[in-house]
Amino acid sequence: MKNKIMITLVAAVLWTSVSFASPVVDVQQGEVVAGYNYSRLSVDGTYEGTTYDVGRAGMSNFYAQTGIRKNWMLAVEHSSASPHWTDGIDTFSLRYKSLDVTLQYDVAKNIRFIVGNRYYDISGTFNDESVSEKVNKFIYGIAAKTKLGQDMEGYAKFIKTSYETEYKAGVVYNFSKQSFLDVNYSHHKYDYLDATVNTKGFGAGLGFRF
């Protein structure tokens, strides 16, 4: 039981970290890009040599980016979820949100550096055990994109904090100059309290330019 509690509470912390969901798209100076993304993720963890299938989690993400000057972007992202799980004996519930504020710089036409801050606000309960945390973490990473067709681009992203490592790849299809569809796959690895937790899964969303 101790191991299951550990993995579940670690997963509670991890699920809040799946928040850097915005696609890699061009943002011109003075332009605003805003959108919504939903991801469905599977979660498993390893503790003291045993692997546990924690379950699945849905993540909602809202983001906005604006070009503040040539090649420079300011981005804000908010994520939230409230998963609940029970097998008739054990019960797990979680309420969390996270907020990212990042500065992004295009060092080349298809390569972008990312730095910023992620604020975690977490509270989770597994039966009588609970965890809560409010903390700020430094984010850094790199992203790249490439043209796949007349209205389609592919992208890849690597993001790192002291809590986690994130890999993400996706495809953006432009319906018009003002709207686009984003389909993506992400994998997160998280090390905490002698446990390793992984989340992976697909996401999709819509974005708009103003």
Side-chain angles (χ1 to χ4, degrees):
M1 179 64 69
K2 177 183 177 182
N3 293 354
K4 195 171 185 180
I5 291 171
M6 174 67 74
I7 293 297
T8 304
L9 295 184
V10 170
V13 179
L14 172 64
W15 278 338
T16 68
S17 70
V18 190
S19 56
F20 210 88
S22 63
V24 181
V25 296
D26 290 327
V27 183
Q28 303 301 319
Q29 184 174 348
E31 183 180 40
V32 174
V33 175
Y36 170 80
N37 189 85
Y38 179 81
S39 299
R40 188 67 177 171
L41 306 166
S42 62
V43 185
D44 65 77
T46 301
Y47 181 68
E48 294 184 348
T50 302
T51 298
Y52 300 86
D53 182 3
V54 179
R56 300 184 67 84
M59 167 70 74
S60 293
N61 173 275
F62 296 90
Y63 63 87
Q65 305 171 335
T66 184
I68 55 177
R69 58 180 301 177
K70 184 179 180 180
N71 298 329
W72 288 92
M73 286 147 286
L74 179 66
V76 178
E77 301 189 29
H78 179 269
S79 299
S80 62
S82 301
H84 179 84
W85 170 88
T86 183
D87 62 1
I89 299 175
D90 300 316
T91 300
F92 164 73
S93 61
L94 172 68
R95 294 183 61 86
Y96 67 80
K97 60 183 179 180
S98 61
L99 179 67
D100 293 357
V101 179
T102 59
L103 189 64
Q104 306 183 21
Y105 176 66
D106 287 336
V107 296
K109 183 178 180 180
N110 296 321
I111 301 176
R112 181 174 300 175
F113 285 165
I114 302 166
V115 295
N117 182 80
R118 174 169 295 162
Y119 172 71
Y120 298 89
D121 184 355
I122 311 156
S123 60
T125 302
F126 184 88
N127 295 338
D128 295 329
E129 300 286 336
S130 62
V131 62
S132 62
E133 186 171 26
K134 294 183 179 181
V135 64
N136 291 284
K137 290 293 180 180
F138 177 68
I139 303 172
Y140 63 93
I142 188 170
K145 61 184 178 67
T146 185
K147 194 109 175 141
L148 299 178
Q150 181 176 354
D151 298 312
M152 188 177 299
E153 291 184 328
Y155 67 88
K157 186 186 296 186
F158 169 81
I159 300 294
K160 181 75 175 177
T161 75
S162 59
Y163 274 178
E164 66 184 290
T165 303
E166 173 189 350
Y167 304 91
K168 184 175 182 178
V171 175
V172 171
Y173 178 78
N174 294 292
F175 295 120
S176 67
K177 292 182 179 180
Q178 287 76 42
S179 62
F180 58 85
L181 169 70
D182 171 39
V183 178
N184 54 75
Y185 179 85
S186 63
H187 180 200
H188 297 249
K189 181 181 179 182
Y190 185 88
D191 295 302
Y192 184 72
L193 297 176
D194 299 323
T196 298
V197 179
N198 293 282
T199 67
K200 53 189 175 182
F202 288 94
L206 293 174
F208 301 91
R209 299 179 182 276
F210 303 94

